[in-house]
Amino acid sequence: MQSNFKYIVFVFLFLGTGCLFVNAQNTTQKRDSLEPLKNTIIGLKGFSINDTIQLPDAASLKAIDTTKIDSFKPKEYLDDSILKKASDYIKNDFENKTAILYNNAQILYQDIDLQAGIIKIDYDKNLAYAKGIIDSSGAYTQKPQFKQAGQESEQDSLIYNFKNEKAIIYNTKTVQEGVIVRGEITKRENDSVFYLDRAHFTTSTKDKPDYEIITRNIKLVPGKKIVGGLSQLKLADVPTPAILPFFYVPLTKERSVSGFLIPTYGENSSQGFFLQNGGYYFAISDYIDLAVLGDVYTNGSWGMRFESNYAVRYRFSGNFNLRFENLITGQRGFSTFNKRNNFYLRWSHSPSQQASPNSRFSVSVNLGSSQYFRESLNEYNIGQTVTNTFNSSINFYKKFVGTPFNMNIAMTHSQNTNTEKIDMTLPSLQIGMDRIYPFAPKSGAKKNPIQSLGLSYSFDAQNRISTDDDQFLKSDMFKDARSGAKHTVSASTNMKALKYITLSPSANYNEVWYLKTVEQRYNAELDEIEKDTVNQFDAFREYSAGVSASTTLYGMFNFKKGRLQAIRHVMRPSVSFNYRPDFSNFYDEVQQSEDDDDFLEYSRFDGGIYGSPSRGLSSSIGLSLNNTFEAKMMSKDSTATEPEKIKLLNNLNFSTSYNIAADSLNWSPVRMTAGTTILDNKLSLNASATLDPYALSASGRRINTYNINNDGSLFRLTQANMSASYSISSDIFNKKDAKEDKNKPPKGNKGDEDSLFGSDITTRNVKDDQEESKTKVANLYGATLPWTLSLRYNVGYSNSTRQNELSNNSLQFSGNIELSPKWSVGLSSGYDFKNRGVTYTNLSFERDLDSWRMSFNWVPFGNSTTYYFFIGIKSSVLSDIKYDKRKVADQRLF
């Protein structure tokens, strides 16, 4: 939801062109006695003061017991008793019906709590006069503090009428929903309405605010609104040409307030001058809002955006974002003229953790035109231009309580922005059954293979659509839709063999249903094969069986000297055998040429979403070996008694298979993967490789000859990949912090590869809390510059057909440094060693101006060259007091 305190401004007069820079200076509050205050309030409605306030000399007073609370209730005037407290004295003048309280004075009347240095009560006129005390150093202390109905204010002096609850306040200060309001003269009508003359508004918590909005004729309704007349912005007590004819600040706590959203202006060489992000915000209810935004360009281009957030406590929450752009380049009538429409939709919906545990509806939609992020004129997350895929899913899951069955209905979407190909399932249905054990005892553990026999079942039905950007959401996209359903039944059990080996036999049955099949016939006149679609139900069935054997082996290598005490090696070998019969009975023959003996085998199920029946007998043996290595090492700390476990290799895995039934090329390539983390988990290394035991022919095809018998090595490396990521920060050089956070990633490391491309160039901190700024103090000596750095290196090698080349070789990095507690600089970039070019680069500069924030983000080169400058108030209440400037990237439409 947008902030409940959204500040909505109608700017009818804005003079000046520069940015608003802040250097915290301001005027001091006036301090005055009650004598001139009397002259100020004469003539104001509701008050008539004829007497001056005469305070007695403290030396002429008799000492009294100030610990006693005095209570006085003149029944003919007031509705309740007035309780009085003071540290020095309380003087009651019954003849003149007055009372004077001195030093830490306090009176309590109904829900009113008034504290001040000096308080005088006039019972005849139902008035209370309050002011502070000037101490021996000349400082004005113990200013009046007034509390009523949850509202609190501080002032230099005041006069309060107990009967009609009106007051005149001099130099008041109050905080309303984060807005600090200072009034030189304030008239209080009651506990809910205030009128201020010469008021000062700010969100800066300093004694001398960074900025103020000075205005006259203010009406303040606590907790609801502030309405003002002609206003002027002052920075560091310097008047600026920023003038507002009137303004309105909502202070309601219940929900956001509707209002206009001020656009950003700029210019572009292709689209001309523009206004972006202007529109209207609708606070529809406590549960949902809507922002309608628009962009207008002088060459005729335009854009619309609809953004909505919604939430129902303990049930669900989500957000919806729909964007559409009509882009025009060039001049009408010329060959360079081009017009294109792009759209982008993002919808996220998540149920609450307190919602029903047996059903769940979730949405993650991310789809649009393939060129949206590359051509959009109003996309601030420039890093999205390197994204090549969009993926979406809408899921509803239901668990049938009391049964082993569950159901999942989903719609999915996958889109490649390079090829502009789109694959969707509209919809898919999965029904699953949890594994059941029909022969298990009603109580106790399963003791034999029969009792451990488990059965599972799943049903999967899908309707798949493949299309492209041009046909998306058009009727033609449904013509080639493919549908089908698949039943899968599996049974498995396990048993021990030779005490340490686990045997796991299994059997599987699959049945596939199609509503469309393909029939092929030879056309002698055209000398080609023709295909016809048969719209009728058809099915095929497959079954297979297998058994696997696995165990775990442990090895320990002990060392007698040094800190290294032992290296532990864990091996998990596994052997499996799988058998699948030949299902060639589902295949037919068709003549494919004029030769009567030239036939082609095909299956009427070709092209189905679950494939065709398997051909040929399959009898294969699978081999795999998983390894882990860890070390036991004594700590450098002499007080430690137990060795520390250190991971040397998180995994080192090998896998391959041998097809007994094949007449050639029986061995499949060996797949190897490895991964580890070192340097206190700061450096992550991962590698993979594919090793082929067979040689290649002169044309680059695999032949049934081992590579070692073809004057080669035992294996032929066909593919390899290696990636390394490293995160470091200045904290690791702080011995104390490094010891506490040894196994934690450094601050600022999100662990997300996308962070290497930088974040949204409009990202800024809009928190109202100023404590973060206060705690950042620059040291004159021994100062440090906090910094973070993330690196990622990728390299790939391909040699499947003797190309012997690097498929990719690039380095990306992202980092930031705090030049001072309030200055930070960030850089995201990289280098592609294969293509010899710099990758997407983003520079960011940010300055914390206490109650303001200034930032500058720049993409210096590439297809999305742009910059964004911002300076504005951090508080969400006055967040529309800002200046921002953006250069839109010069895009070419193709």
Side-chain angles (χ1 to χ4, degrees):
M1 289 281 180
Q2 294 196 13
S3 169
N4 290 339
F5 318 121
K6 187 69 180 177
Y7 182 69
I8 303 167
V9 181
F10 295 89
V11 181
F12 292 97
L13 180 61
F14 185 86
L15 302 177
T17 59
C19 306
L20 309 179
F21 294 93
V22 178
N23 185 13
Q25 299 288 335
N26 201 0
T27 57
T28 59
Q29 293 184 345
K30 295 182 179 179
R31 298 169 181 163
D32 211 341
S33 65
L34 292 173
E35 289 294 336
L37 177 61
K38 167 199 166 213
N39 299 326
T40 302
I41 62 178
I42 291 176
L44 292 178
K45 182 180 179 181
F47 293 90
S48 177
I49 306 225
N50 299 317
D51 299 328
T52 61
I53 302 174
Q54 298 295 334
L55 298 179
D57 187 359
S60 65
L61 297 176
K62 295 181 180 180
I64 60 175
D65 184 5
T66 60
T67 62
K68 182 178 179 181
I69 299 178
D70 189 15
S71 176
F72 179 78
K73 179 180 180 182
K75 297 182 180 179
E76 66 273 25
Y77 296 113
L78 301 179
D79 298 329
D80 205 346
S81 299
I82 299 177
L83 300 179
K84 305 185 290 294
K85 300 179 184 179
S87 295
D88 282 5
Y89 62 79
I90 301 176
K91 179 182 179 182
N92 292 311
D93 187 345
F94 296 101
E95 181 180 353
N96 296 319
K97 298 180 180 180
T98 62
I100 297 177
L101 295 75
Y102 187 83
N103 194 14
N104 294 322
Q106 181 181 14
I107 62 173
L108 301 172
Y109 175 73
Q110 294 181 346
D111 63 341
I112 295 174
D113 182 359
L114 175 60
Q115 302 179 37
I118 302 174
I119 299 178
K120 177 180 179 180
I121 303 175
D122 190 332
Y123 295 105
D124 189 34
K125 299 178 181 179
N126 302 324
L127 298 177
Y129 308 84
K131 72 168 189 174
I133 294 177
I134 299 178
D135 61 14
S136 58
S137 65
Y140 190 62
T141 63
Q142 298 188 36
K143 294 181 180 180
Q145 303 283 337
F146 188 89
K147 300 178 183 178
Q148 183 182 21
Q151 301 296 323
E152 182 176 355
S153 64
E154 179 185 278
Q155 42 273 316
D156 280 0
S157 54
L158 67 83
I159 300 178
Y160 180 76
N161 190 306
F162 293 99
K163 198 68 177 178
N164 56 27
E165 298 185 346
K166 296 182 179 181
I168 291 294
I169 307 170
Y170 190 66
N171 275 1
T172 183
K173 175 184 176 182
T174 183
V175 180
Q176 297 292 324
E177 308 302 331
V179 179
I180 301 172
V181 184
R182 294 182 176 91
E184 296 183 8
I185 300 178
T186 303
K187 180 179 179 181
R188 183 182 188 273
E189 285 291 326
N190 48 57
D191 63 351
S192 60
V193 178
F194 293 82
Y195 294 95
L196 293 83
D197 183 32
R198 191 67 179 173
H200 304 245
F201 296 88
T202 185
T203 58
S204 175
T205 57
K206 296 179 179 179
D207 293 335
K208 296 181 179 180
D210 296 334
Y211 74 98
E212 288 184 317
I213 300 176
I214 311 298
T215 186
R216 294 181 179 274
N217 304 323
I218 292 297
K219 180 179 180 180
L220 168 63
V221 182
K224 292 186 177 180
K225 61 184 176 181
I226 300 176
V227 181
L230 187 66
S231 307
Q232 185 178 28
L233 177 66
K234 295 181 69 175
L235 301 177
D237 202 30
V238 178
T240 70
I243 300 175
L244 306 176
F246 64 90
F247 71 91
Y248 171 80
V249 182
L251 301 175
T252 176
K253 296 182 179 180
E254 285 77 13
R255 64 176 190 177
S256 302
V257 178
S258 301
F260 288 97
L261 301 175
I262 308 303
T264 300
Y265 73 92
E267 62 177 306
N268 173 267
S269 61
S270 300
Q271 280 71 36
F273 294 95
F274 61 78
L275 292 174
Q276 289 183 339
N277 304 320
Y280 198 83
Y281 173 77
F282 298 90
I284 300 174
S285 71
D286 293 337
Y287 310 105
I288 186 172
D289 67 355
L290 174 65
V292 180
L293 304 172
D295 308 327
V296 179
Y297 305 83
T298 53
N299 80 326
S301 300
W302 57 274
M304 289 290 294
R305 294 201 312 285
F306 301 88
E307 300 176 358
S308 177
N309 298 277
Y310 58 88
V312 176
R313 184 176 295 180
Y314 307 126
R315 294 186 62 186
F316 57 80
S317 63
N319 57 78
F320 179 85
N321 190 328
L322 176 62
R323 306 180 182 185
F324 180 84
E325 291 187 357
N326 179 42
L327 307 179
I328 298 176
T329 57
Q331 298 293 328
R332 294 183 183 275
F334 291 87
S335 59
T336 57
F337 177 79
N338 201 323
K339 182 177 180 181
R340 182 163 182 162
N341 294 329
N342 285 333
F343 80 96
Y344 177 69
L345 172 64
R346 181 184 290 274
W347 178 24
S348 176
H349 176 93
S350 300
S352 173
Q353 294 181 353
Q354 291 80 9
S356 173
N358 297 315
S359 63
R360 179 183 179 89
F361 177 73
S362 60
V363 177
S364 178
V365 174
N366 182 26
L367 64 87
S369 303
S370 294
Q371 301 300 319
Y372 177 83
F373 288 104
R374 298 168 187 168
E375 296 180 354
S376 174
L377 300 176
N378 192 11
E379 178 51 49
Y380 289 97
N381 195 342
I382 306 299
Q384 288 280 4
T385 58
V386 300
T387 300
N388 297 326
T389 58
F390 293 157
N391 293 285
S392 308
S393 65
I394 301 176
N395 292 277
F396 174 74
Y397 171 82
K398 174 69 175 178
K399 171 69 175 178
F400 297 97
V401 181
T403 72
F405 293 97
N406 58 76
M407 177 185 68
N408 188 79
I409 301 175
M411 292 186 289
T412 63
H413 153 267
S414 178
Q415 180 176 354
N416 188 307
T417 59
N418 289 332
T419 62
E420 299 188 359
K421 296 298 181 182
I422 302 174
D423 295 314
M424 295 178 290
T425 57
L426 300 174
S428 66
L429 169 65
Q430 290 85 32
I431 298 177
M433 183 185 75
D434 297 336
R435 184 176 296 274
I436 61 174
Y437 300 89
F439 307 108
K442 294 183 179 179
S443 62
K446 308 177 186 70
K447 298 181 180 180
N448 56 59
I450 299 299
Q451 293 180 347
S452 300
L453 179 64
L455 299 175
S456 62
Y457 166 78
S458 66
F459 173 78
D460 182 22
Q462 297 185 19
N463 179 48
R464 293 185 185 177
I465 297 174
S466 296
T467 184
D468 54 30
D469 272 16
D470 295 334
Q471 301 299 326
F472 186 65
L473 297 180
K474 297 180 181 179
S475 58
D476 291 343
M477 67 176 282
F478 299 98
K479 289 183 178 180
D480 297 326
R482 299 178 298 160
S483 303
K486 181 179 181 180
H487 304 263
T488 301
V489 180
S490 63
S492 63
T493 186
N494 60 77
M495 65 191 74
K496 286 291 184 179
L498 301 177
K499 192 177 180 179
Y500 300 107
I501 299 176
T502 301
L503 294 178
S504 301
S506 62
N508 296 280
Y509 172 82
N510 297 324
E511 182 169 330
V512 177
W513 294 349
Y514 286 138
L515 299 179
K516 293 181 180 180
T517 56
V518 177
E519 182 179 345
Q520 300 185 20
R521 67 176 185 274
Y522 175 68
N523 188 325
E525 294 181 359
L526 300 177
D527 190 23
E528 64 180 21
I529 297 176
E530 295 180 344
K531 297 181 180 180
D532 294 330
T533 300
V534 180
N535 294 309
Q536 66 179 23
F537 175 82
D538 205 343
F540 69 87
R541 298 151 198 87
E542 291 183 316
Y543 50 87
S544 61
V547 62
S548 64
S550 61
T551 188
T552 303
L553 303 176
Y554 300 92
M556 185 74 72
F557 304 91
N558 297 312
F559 298 88
K560 297 181 179 180
K561 296 182 180 180
R563 293 175 51 217
L564 181 61
Q565 291 192 337
I567 294 179
R568 187 189 188 196
H569 177 204
V570 180
M571 294 186 296
R572 294 181 175 85
S574 176
V575 180
S576 62
F577 173 76
N578 292 280
Y579 176 82
R580 188 197 66 236
D582 183 10
F583 295 99
S584 297
N585 57 302
F586 291 104
Y587 282 78
D588 300 312
E589 291 184 343
V590 61
Q591 184 178 339
Q592 62 177 347
S593 67
E594 295 180 353
D595 186 355
D596 294 338
D597 296 326
D598 186 10
F599 289 94
L600 173 69
E601 288 189 348
Y602 78 96
S603 173
R604 61 185 182 275
F605 302 102
D606 287 341
I609 58 177
Y610 299 105
S612 305
S614 302
R615 290 187 61 190
L617 175 67
S618 176
S619 178
S620 62
I621 298 176
L623 303 172
S624 67
L625 176 62
N626 300 336
N627 300 270
T628 60
F629 295 85
E630 62 182 14
K632 287 185 177 182
M633 183 173 292
M634 290 300 298
S635 175
K636 293 181 179 180
D637 187 357
S638 60
T639 61
T641 59
E642 295 294 329
E644 181 182 1
K645 291 184 179 180
I646 301 175
K647 284 280 189 180
L648 299 180
L649 273 178
N650 295 336
N651 62 82
L652 177 60
N653 305 330
F654 301 89
S655 62
T656 186
S657 63
Y658 183 84
N659 192 347
I660 302 174
D663 57 359
S664 62
L665 301 174
N666 304 83
W667 285 102
S668 64
V670 177
R671 177 69 176 172
M672 186 275 289
T673 60
T676 187
T677 56
I678 58 177
L679 300 179
D680 293 334
N681 294 326
K682 299 296 188 299
L683 177 59
S684 175
L685 298 172
N686 292 278
S688 64
T690 303
L691 307 172
D692 195 340
Y694 294 104
L696 294 178
S697 65
S699 60
R701 299 183 60 182
R702 294 177 73 204
I703 58 177
N704 193 34
T705 301
Y706 291 120
N707 194 58
I708 194 172
N709 296 331
N710 195 36
D711 296 331
S713 58
L714 178 61
F715 292 102
R716 183 171 51 87
L717 180 63
T718 60
Q719 178 270 336
N721 285 283
M722 194 274 285
S723 65
S725 59
Y726 184 63
S727 297
I728 189 175
S729 72
S730 56
D731 290 343
I732 67 172
F733 297 100
N734 185 325
K735 295 183 178 179
K736 181 179 178 180
D737 294 341
K739 184 176 181 180
E740 294 176 352
D741 301 334
K742 185 175 182 180
N743 296 320
K744 295 181 181 180
K747 295 179 181 179
N749 177 28
K750 300 179 181 179
D752 185 1
E753 182 178 353
D754 293 338
S755 65
L756 293 170
F757 299 107
S759 59
D760 189 334
I761 65 173
T762 63
T763 298
R764 62 184 183 92
N765 185 5
V766 294
K767 293 194 297 185
D768 296 334
D769 190 8
Q770 304 293 315
E771 294 300 324
E772 182 180 357
S773 308
K774 294 180 179 179
T775 57
K776 291 184 176 181
V777 179
N779 297 320
L780 296 180
Y781 301 99
T784 60
L785 298 178
W787 54 269
T788 61
L789 178 65
S790 297
L791 300 168
R792 184 177 179 86
Y793 177 71
N794 290 275
V795 60
Y797 172 76
S798 296
N799 192 34
S800 57
T801 57
R802 293 198 184 96
Q803 65 267 42
N804 191 23
E805 65 177 7
L806 292 178
S807 56
N808 63 80
N809 186 13
S810 62
L811 172 68
Q812 291 90 33
F813 64 89
S814 176
N816 64 77
I817 182 173
E818 292 187 11
L819 301 178
S820 72
K822 296 184 179 181
W823 263 113
S824 64
V825 178
L827 172 64
S828 298
S829 186
Y831 188 80
D832 189 334
F833 296 97
K834 180 183 178 182
N835 298 314
R836 297 182 181 179
V838 178
T839 61
Y840 171 77
T841 300
N842 181 19
L843 292 126
S844 62
F845 307 87
E846 190 167 301
R847 176 72 164 102
D848 187 344
L849 299 170
D850 294 332
S851 55
W852 291 63
R853 181 170 296 277
M854 180 178 67
S855 64
F856 179 73
N857 286 271
W858 181 31
V859 180
F861 44 78
N863 295 328
S864 302
T865 303
T866 184
Y867 69 81
Y868 180 80
F869 173 80
F870 169 88
I871 184 171
I873 297 175
K874 290 195 290 187
S875 171
S876 59
V877 182
L878 302 176
S879 59
D880 275 337
I881 300 181
K882 64 181 182 179
Y883 174 82
D884 53 357
K885 174 70 174 177
R886 181 192 179 201
K887 176 186 179 296
V888 175
D890 294 327
Q891 306 278 13
R892 281 192 64 185
L893 303 184
F894 298 96

